[in-house]
Amino acid sequence: MGGEQLIRRWKLVDRVHRTVVPVALLGVLWWYLRSGADQWQAETGAVAGLYAAGLLWAGYLAGPGRWFGLRADGWSFGLGAPVRTVPGPRGGWQLRRFPLPVVRPLLLGTDPASGPGRLLLALPAYLGVAALGGWLLDLAGGDFGPSAAVVCLAGAVGPALTLVVLRTTPAATRLDPALQEVARTLQRDVAEARRLLDALPPGSATGGIGLGVLLAEGRYRELADRAAESTARADGALDLLQARALAYLDETGAADDADRAAFRTLYRAARRAPRSLRTGSDLPALYELAENHPGLAIDEARSAAAVGSTPLRRGAAYATLALAFHRAGRPEEARAALESARRTGPATARLDFLTGLLAEAEAEAGAEAGAAPGPASA
């Protein structure tokens, strides 16, 4: 219940932030245009204030915010779709398509070891940092300084509300370090991730990380059954995971009509998930394969693989691309895509299955070629 409450509050903060910042930008520009000020300076100041607000928030999280128990697990740089994601011991980093000076946390939470008193001080401390940044911008003078200062302060509304959410929502705690280690290890070694998961204390809440290990191990039926019993579907992540498990199950020939119907229902639900969850996923390509559209599946899988998300997800996209090429009757390209999957991500049960599938198809093609009558016998 706390997790769903947290997600609803995140969405509310995002809507408020997306409303306040454009209103502030338009308000500042309208004021300066009406007063006959230098339009170029006002516009430049507004843009500079917007970037300054983002950099102040990132700097606060990387520095003073840590004193109050705030933790940013990884950082993204730029705007647009991710082009490269590199996991690391502290969450890793992510590059986005447009190289603008925008730095954002990939995942934000609080350190469970920090008491509520320390977190209570995080908000006034951040507001002090934002006010100081606005004052320094205002010192630039002219029409640039005040414009930048106003927009910078408006841009602080979203982070301030984020701190309120983190302080007032019990579920807003940092992911357990042991689970973080499982998630990072899963990106390179499935067997080791299973060992770490099994070593956790009995009764540990593993959530989607535990299901992710099941997916990599090829335990699709078990994953689908466990996901169907869960009610924690507020952000769409579980829909994505369960839909992929059913699609992979269908590849093996173990799915029935009910599984295929459930896949289509989950696919429609997963399309409404946040973009951050859907980016780089092979689910659209899996849907096209289910609809017997291998050409469209190739396009979707290529797009997913090109996004450059985490190694496990990107490897899955290349594996789906290999399957799409196989069904399109393009064996050489299927083998190349499967090799890309091996280079990109960890060894998974699905890669073993697809390796056997392509080898069997190649053997059958060789047998048919050998059995075909030659010109003399014809």
Side-chain angles (χ1 to χ4, degrees):
M1 191 67 183
E4 295 184 8
Q5 181 186 19
L6 175 62
I7 292 165
R8 287 196 297 269
R9 291 187 177 189
W10 281 134
K11 291 180 178 179
L12 177 61
V13 167
D14 186 62
R15 286 196 295 268
V16 171
H17 185 65
R18 290 175 182 270
T19 302
V20 169
V21 171
V23 167
L25 282 170
L26 293 175
V28 166
L29 295 178
W30 174 80
W31 174 265
Y32 279 98
L33 289 174
R34 187 180 177 209
S35 62
D38 188 321
Q39 180 181 354
W40 173 250
Q41 283 196 28
E43 292 176 349
T44 305
V47 174
L50 188 60
Y51 283 124
L55 293 175
L56 280 173
W57 175 232
Y60 175 75
L61 292 176
R66 299 178 65 85
W67 303 339
F68 304 109
L70 296 173
R71 292 293 183 269
D73 292 324
W75 299 91
S76 73
F77 304 90
L79 290 176
V83 295
R84 183 172 177 79
T85 301
V86 178
R90 296 185 178 179
W93 52 270
Q94 184 179 83
L95 292 180
R96 294 181 175 268
R97 182 161 297 165
F98 303 107
L100 297 175
V102 177
V103 183
R104 294 175 179 171
L106 286 176
L107 180 65
L108 180 62
T110 58
D111 193 336
S114 299
R118 288 177 61 191
L119 190 58
L120 184 63
L121 299 175
L123 179 58
Y126 169 69
L127 293 177
V129 170
L132 177 62
W135 176 70
L136 291 175
L137 288 171
D138 187 57
L139 291 179
D143 295 318
F144 173 91
S147 173
V150 170
V151 175
C152 178
L153 293 176
V157 171
L161 291 176
T162 297
L163 293 177
V164 173
V165 167
L166 289 171
R167 174 65 181 82
T168 58
T169 307
T173 56
R174 194 185 184 200
L175 187 64
D176 183 88
L179 285 178
Q180 283 187 321
E181 182 61 25
V182 175
R184 287 192 292 266
T185 303
L186 183 59
Q187 299 300 323
R188 63 177 188 275
D189 190 331
V190 175
E192 179 64 12
R194 165 54 65 186
R195 188 190 68 79
L196 293 174
L197 193 66
D198 290 341
L200 294 178
S204 298
T206 59
I209 294 177
L211 296 180
V213 174
L214 290 179
L215 188 72
E217 292 175 327
R219 296 160 66 177
Y220 309 131
R221 175 61 69 190
E222 182 180 349
L223 189 162
D225 291 343
R226 287 176 55 178
E229 296 171 356
S230 175
T231 58
R233 296 180 176 271
D235 63 349
L238 200 58
D239 292 331
L240 280 162
L241 203 56
Q242 186 179 358
R244 292 175 64 206
L246 290 174
Y248 296 166
L249 187 70
D250 196 21
E251 292 173 4
T252 66
D256 54 28
D257 290 341
D259 294 324
R260 298 183 188 97
F263 167 77
R264 287 171 171 78
T265 300
L266 289 165
Y267 172 75
R268 290 190 293 269
R271 290 182 64 185
R272 299 190 292 269
R275 181 182 176 184
S276 59
L277 293 175
R278 294 182 284 109
T279 299
S281 172
D282 62 340
L283 186 57
L286 294 170
Y287 176 78
E288 296 299 344
L289 285 174
E291 296 295 308
N292 198 27
H293 300 151
L296 294 177
I298 290 172
D299 294 338
E300 293 287 358
R302 274 176 170 162
S303 298
V307 165
S309 54
T310 57
L312 187 64
R313 177 169 284 199
R314 195 176 186 190
Y318 275 122
T320 300
L321 179 61
L323 181 61
F325 277 132
H326 167 68
R327 294 191 180 175
R330 297 158 66 175
E332 292 184 3
E333 290 165 293
R335 288 193 296 273
L338 194 58
E339 184 59 32
S340 296
R342 293 192 188 97
R343 290 195 308 267
T344 302
T348 63
R350 188 174 183 229
L351 288 184
D352 291 340
F353 168 75
L354 291 176
T355 299
L357 182 68
L358 296 186
E360 183 180 346
E362 186 175 350
E364 290 179 355
E368 289 178 2
S377 59

